[in-house]
Amino acid sequence: MNPPADADVSPAVLTVDGFQCLIDELQRRGYRVIGPTVADGAIVYDDLASVDALPRGVGDAQDAGRYRLTRRDDEALFGYAVGPHSWKRFLNPPRLKLWSSRREGDGVRVEPAPEPRQPLAFIGVRGCELRAIAIQDRVFLGGRYVDRPYDVRRRGAFIVAVSCGTAGGTCFCTSMGSGPRAQGDFDLALTEIVDAGEHHFVVEVGSDAGREIMAQLPSRDATSADCRQAERIVAATAASMGRSLPAEGVRELLLDNLDHPRWDQVAERCLSCANCTMVCPTCFCSSVEDSSDLASEETARERRWDSCFTTDFAYLHGGSVRATTRARYRQWMTHKLATWIDQFGSSGCVGCGRCITWCPVGIDITEEVRAIAAAPARTGGSDHADGHAQD
Amino acid sequence: MPTAMRRIDQIVREHRFFAGLTDADVDLISGCARNVAFAAGDYLCREGQPADRFFLLRHGRVALEIAAPGHGALTFQTLAEGEIVGVSWLVAPYRWQHDARALEPTRAIAMDAKCLRGKCDADHDLGYEMMQRFVPLLVQRLHATVLQALDIYGDAHKS
Amino acid sequence: MPMSDPMLPQVVRVLRRRRELPEVWTLEIEPASDAAADAPNFEPGQFNMLTAFGVGEVPISYSGDPQRSQRWVHTIRAVGAVSTALTRLRAGDVLGVRGPFGSAWPLAAAEGRDVLVVAGGLGLAPLRPAIYRLLAQRRRYGRVTLLYGTRSPDDILFRRELERWRRRLDVDVQVTVDHAVGDWHGHVGVVPALIARADFDPARTSALVCGPEVMMRFTLAALRTAGVAETAIHLSMERNMKCAVGLCGHCQFGPTLVCRDGAVYRSDLLAPYLPIREL
């Protein structure tokens, strides 16, 4: 996604009908258009045929371990926070065939799995999710080896971002600097304005592709009043956020407290269910499984999402390196907030709050950090005598 | 002076175990020391017998063994030049808990345990010097024993 | 940036299979076709991902001579379904190979220095390519010492080769076993105990260590006691691996990914994390 060639692409205003034109135009150009819709009592991401599939007038109530859809008293299309899905399920599908092999004579021929033909268009990507995609970009594309399935899907993707007009009950993107304003690598970014009979979107163009598409849509130039209104909405969302993580020092805090008693306490609550890793928009761990037909003529390797909460994740020589829930929770949280920085140059957390909402026992990552910060104890005991005990 | 005729205090002084002792201490200790030699297969000590000596190896190698019914002699440690055979003399009831057998022609300084214990009792500074030399050795052996007891090689590397 | 898909195995054939120990086999296989045929095409310390088609894939270190680029050699203990399937392959059978992956033993940096190779159990296999290289370029190094420890005389890997190296006058090879009965005349005791007896200058020694993690931790302690600098000690770590290219998250050890940042690490980078349980 290249930034637009000429810098003075001024914001535009798109109506709800114009929004339908956006979906139509993307489909006309061959995109598989995906966006939020209601299914099974939650906002999920799925194929969108029209603007009518969007959760119009739907809101949500979220808290630690709690998620409910609500009825808004307006017709907003994006009047809710993020749900259990994130875009990683399209960029890095939960199950993905990597290759298959076929026996030929006394040899074997390996065939890479076919690549998807349709490019992806994402509608309603929030600020935290733009950050999450950028983080996964660094994991899958930024190292010595490029993950081909991710690369193929990511390269062609068209991103319609949406700034948040409502803070979710577990959000803390403001403290992570990732939202509520949509910023970063998008093609178009929308702020929805539903106010006193008005219902439209202020659209910011983020790329040449975005500008091309906008040129096809019925829109008008945004006035400075439109832009100010959009800014006010985002500022109000930022101000209404109830949780936060410290901006700095979390890495050192956690790595200095790998034997903190808090890990034992959280382990008493944690069910090791892996929900947090499944809903996290940056968790990327995967495993592979080989299969074959009965005659071993054809075999295949499939990649599937894995989680550091499963017991065989760190299997080595007949046992798990992390046999206890304490060790697995510690691995997840220290990876997310600390060692991710060592491995990929940034925190792995975007402040979306999903892990808090979808934890069946309501473990709150921000609360866990606060608890350790409140009583840091260096490895080796709580007695701050100088020097460590020798073995 | 020909090597064979070197005085025992000189031999004691040269052994790395006693490095750093004062001349007076070396003289004192040498009174308890004898120069000894073993042929391959000779036993330096046998399980159950009084631990009235210990050995500072100068040349050769020694196996520490415990005999187990049906398994013959099980070697649990081999010791070489510069190392010590025997710690049972340090604590009552002063009896060997294993055999020590020379694997090859071996020369050693044999220290009379009762003599050395008496001198350490009389001169606690000397006793402290001795303990400073023995304790690290005991700790090292304890660590080695831990590692052996864990039987760590059952696990494959790069399986 | 390699353009080919790093997840795709190449199909190669087994050239030879040899039994080393009751459950340990060495496979000689064709190198991957894009590897240079006439020059070293892997570095000592690196590993491959080997696929038994229809069964699965495991990381296996190179155990062969880096100068013999026409064949890649791996030594495998049959412990799980995949490693067992690999050890059952015969000459002419096909398997999948990805890599080489991972870091290498710092043999260039060790030039001009004494080199202490400390191996435990099957940990001798990933060190063998380094030993070949050290012996092939013997003049570039100071004293070269190999200390090898394993469970019993029956568990000694590459026994004939160890005996051959022992006969050389320019390398000190010491083998110790945890327990011995009968006619064993070598050392008995743990491999860290050999460090105190070995002849090297700690101020200019590079140590290469590979074996079970507990053995490496004890060895590290013995090397520190001997005065070898933490930055001159290298360890080869092992963790569960699936992708080998830093994309699956399985092999994390503290802040690192073993496949990407290891398997060979400078010990000062690992030291703070080695004693932490279940990390």
Side-chain angles (χ1 to χ4, degrees):
Chain A
M1 241 163 288
N2 298 315
D6 65 67
D8 63 347
V9 187
S10 49
V13 168
L14 197 65
T15 62
V16 174
D17 289 342
F19 198 93
Q20 179 62 52
C21 297
L22 169 61
I23 294 174
D24 294 343
E25 181 61 21
L26 288 167
Q27 280 168 344
R28 195 182 67 76
R29 288 171 183 243
Y31 286 100
R32 179 185 165 199
V33 180
I34 300 162
T37 191
V38 173
D40 302 329
I43 308 281
V44 300
Y45 296 152
D46 205 345
D47 292 87
L48 287 186
S50 79
V51 71
D52 296 332
L54 290 167
R56 188 187 295 256
V58 177
D60 58 19
Q62 300 195 31
D63 202 347
R66 224 178 79 81
Y67 181 94
R68 294 282 180 281
L69 292 184
T70 58
R71 183 71 227 170
R72 290 175 64 95
D73 51 14
D74 61 24
E75 296 294 298
L77 300 181
F78 297 97
Y80 40 84
V82 292
H85 282 183
S86 65
W87 305 102
K88 73 176 182 180
R89 70 172 39 247
F90 303 100
L91 294 172
N92 175 33
R95 298 187 84 92
L96 179 71
K97 189 158 127 180
L98 293 177
W99 51 262
S100 57
S101 79
R102 169 180 284 279
R103 189 161 286 280
E104 284 184 356
D106 66 343
V108 165
R109 185 184 173 81
V110 173
E111 285 287 347
E115 290 170 358
R117 291 210 204 102
Q118 247 188 319
L120 300 165
F122 297 156
I123 306 286
V125 180
R126 307 305 178 105
C128 60
E129 299 186 303
L130 287 174
R131 170 76 64 87
I133 291 170
I135 287 172
Q136 287 214 326
D137 284 353
R138 279 197 292 280
V139 172
F140 288 120
L141 309 176
R144 177 158 176 234
Y145 296 96
V146 165
D147 186 64
R148 194 165 167 79
Y150 184 92
D151 191 32
V152 167
R153 287 162 178 77
R154 177 70 178 95
R155 244 174 232 292
F158 187 93
I159 292 183
V160 180
V162 170
S163 291
C164 289
T166 314
T170 56
C171 293
F172 55 103
C173 66
T174 306
S175 66
M176 300 308 290
S178 63
R181 183 188 160 84
Q183 51 200 332
D185 202 0
F186 56 76
D187 294 288
L188 298 173
L190 278 49
T191 306
E192 184 173 28
I193 293 171
V194 204
D195 190 28
E198 281 184 85
H199 191 183
H200 56 253
F201 301 90
V202 176
V203 184
E204 189 187 340
V205 173
S207 72
D208 285 341
R211 189 181 49 178
E212 255 178 58
I213 298 236
M214 269 312 282
Q216 306 301 314
L217 308 180
S219 69
R220 65 166 169 86
D221 286 349
T223 64
S224 58
D226 292 324
C227 295
R228 276 199 307 276
Q229 199 177 2
E231 291 298 331
R232 271 200 307 277
I233 288 169
V234 171
T237 306
S240 64
M241 225 163 276
R243 285 179 167 80
S244 67
L245 262 190
E248 278 176 18
V250 175
R251 176 186 176 276
E252 291 67 26
L253 177 74
L254 296 184
L255 293 185
D256 283 349
N257 285 280
L258 292 171
D259 278 327
H260 196 282
R262 184 73 185 185
W263 302 118
D264 297 302
Q265 292 158 19
V266 73
E268 284 173 17
R269 302 170 62 205
C270 176
L271 306 176
S272 215
C273 73
N275 265 15
C276 49
T277 56
M278 296 295 110
V279 297
C280 176
T282 66
C283 271
F284 61 88
C285 288
S286 63
S287 193
V288 288
E289 212 166 77
D290 287 21
S291 59
S292 70
D293 62 4
L294 284 175
S296 287
E297 290 295 306
E298 288 182 32
T299 82
R301 179 166 298 160
E302 190 183 65
R303 179 161 80 182
R304 54 176 171 76
W305 288 0
D306 200 356
S307 167
C308 51
F309 282 97
T310 63
T311 39
D312 62 353
F313 184 82
Y315 180 92
L316 196 65
H317 307 320
S320 172
V321 168
R322 300 183 201 104
T324 62
T325 298
R326 172 189 186 274
R328 294 201 288 274
Y329 186 86
R330 181 183 66 186
Q331 165 61 28
W332 176 70
M333 190 167 129
T334 54
H335 185 220
K336 189 64 55 189
L337 299 179
T339 56
W340 202 295
I341 298 168
D342 298 87
Q343 293 168 9
F344 303 110
S346 76
S347 170
C349 179
V350 300
C352 71
R354 285 182 178 91
C355 58
I356 306 171
T357 298
W358 294 95
C359 176
V361 297
I363 294 170
D364 178 343
I365 191 170
T366 66
E367 186 187 337
E368 295 310 309
V369 170
R370 265 199 312 284
I372 291 173
R378 279 200 62 96
T379 300
S382 51
D383 184 358
H384 275 249
D386 48 359
H388 296 277
Q390 295 289 312
D391 51 338
Chain B
M1 191 180 301
T3 335
M5 295 292 289
R6 279 196 310 170
R7 286 165 35 190
I8 189 71
D9 61 325
Q10 218 170 330
I11 294 170
V12 167
R13 186 168 286 118
E14 282 165 10
H15 199 280
R16 76 173 187 218
F17 186 75
F18 294 120
L21 277 189
T22 64
D23 286 351
D25 283 344
V26 170
D27 287 345
L28 208 55
I29 286 170
S30 298
C32 303
R34 275 184 52 217
N35 209 357
V36 293
F38 300 92
D42 283 357
Y43 284 89
L44 284 71
C45 63
R46 300 303 293 256
E47 183 179 342
Q49 292 184 347
D52 52 7
R53 300 195 292 180
F54 70 95
F55 304 91
L56 296 98
L57 301 184
R58 297 175 56 215
H59 295 284
R61 284 191 323 122
V62 171
L64 306 187
E65 300 173 342
I66 290 179
H71 296 278
L74 183 69
T75 303
F76 63 93
Q77 190 170 31
T78 53
L79 295 164
E81 183 183 339
E83 296 179 315
I84 302 275
V85 177
V87 290
S88 301
W89 67 277
L90 274 165
V91 286
Y94 313 121
R95 293 208 174 261
W96 295 108
Q97 297 242 335
H98 53 76
D99 298 342
R101 186 169 56 91
L103 291 170
E104 46 193 70
T106 296
R107 280 190 286 161
I109 302 167
M111 299 293 298
D112 181 319
K114 202 172 170 190
C115 167
L116 189 63
R117 284 200 302 266
K119 287 184 177 176
C120 290
D121 281 344
D123 179 349
H124 284 186
D125 286 348
L126 176 66
Y128 185 68
E129 287 286 344
M130 286 294 109
M131 283 304 149
Q132 276 199 307
R133 286 163 170 73
F134 266 101
V135 170
L137 199 86
L138 293 174
V139 171
Q140 252 172 45
R141 290 201 187 166
L142 189 65
H143 286 168
T145 306
V146 167
L147 198 49
Q148 271 174 316
L150 289 174
D151 198 18
I152 50 174
Y153 297 119
D155 289 341
H157 197 82
K158 296 282 182 235
S159 60
Chain C
M1 182 185 307
M3 291 313 288
S4 60
D5 185 346
M7 301 297 185
L8 277 189
Q10 285 204 28
V11 180
V12 297
R13 280 180 198 283
V14 174
L15 300 170
R16 209 170 136 205
R17 177 180 79 147
R18 190 177 46 240
R19 188 178 205 166
E20 305 282 359
L21 294 172
E23 290 180 332
V24 180
W25 300 79
T26 291
L27 287 188
E28 295 182 11
I29 64 171
E30 295 171 328
S33 62
D34 55 357
D38 50 355
N41 46 30
F42 71 90
E43 285 298 314
Q46 290 192 296
F47 66 94
N48 281 128
M49 296 299 288
L50 300 185
T51 291
F53 284 105
V55 186
E57 188 178 48
V58 285
I60 307 283
S61 291
Y62 290 92
S63 67
D65 189 339
Q67 298 307 123
R68 294 186 71 200
S69 53
Q70 312 81 358
R71 48 190 57 208
W72 281 354
V73 179
H74 298 91
T75 301
I76 307 165
R77 178 179 285 184
V79 284
V82 184
S83 53
T84 300
L86 287 170
T87 57
R88 287 186 181 156
L89 296 174
R90 310 283 177 118
D93 287 348
V94 292
L95 73 160
V97 61
R98 297 192 292 128
F101 298 122
S103 56
W105 298 110
L107 295 172
E111 286 185 16
R113 297 165 64 84
D114 290 354
V115 180
L116 187 58
V117 179
V118 188
L122 239 57
L124 182 58
L127 278 165
R128 191 168 69 164
I131 298 165
Y132 287 135
R133 172 79 51 88
L134 287 167
L135 296 181
Q137 305 178 340
R138 183 63 192 85
R139 283 192 201 161
R140 298 189 189 177
Y141 300 93
R143 280 164 286 200
V144 173
T145 308
L146 167 61
L147 308 178
Y148 175 54
T150 191
R151 179 192 270 168
S152 78
D154 291 336
D155 298 306
I156 294 172
L157 188 66
F158 307 143
R159 186 171 192 143
R160 252 189 258 165
E161 219 158 10
L162 284 165
E163 284 168 358
R164 197 159 66 239
W165 293 334
R166 271 184 78 123
R167 286 196 293 273
R168 289 178 63 131
L169 298 175
D170 57 356
V171 52
D172 180 17
V173 177
Q174 301 292 333
V175 178
T176 188
V177 297
D178 275 359
H179 313 281
V181 286
D183 57 356
W184 172 251
H185 280 264
H187 300 295
V188 178
V190 297
V191 68
L194 296 180
I195 291 170
R197 301 177 197 164
D199 183 25
F200 58 91
D201 175 1
R204 47 186 293 272
T205 290
S206 293
L208 318 180
V209 186
C210 186
E213 204 166 302
V214 177
M215 166 265 174
M216 293 202 289
R217 300 214 300 265
F218 277 76
T219 299
L220 200 54
L223 288 168
R224 284 181 192 133
T225 305
V228 180
E230 199 85 42
T231 51
I233 305 170
H234 285 74
L235 314 173
S236 179
M237 285 295 288
E238 188 180 17
R239 281 294 179 268
N240 187 319
M241 271 185 208
K242 295 292 180 196
C243 78
V245 290
L247 304 177
C248 82
H250 275 264
C251 66
Q252 290 181 66
F253 181 70
T256 74
L257 294 159
V258 174
C259 71
R260 185 187 80 174
D261 307 313
V264 176
Y265 289 90
R266 218 173 65 188
S267 76
D268 59 315
L269 305 176
L270 291 184
Y273 304 103
L274 281 172
I276 309 266
R277 282 192 197 181
E278 298 192 76
L279 195 63

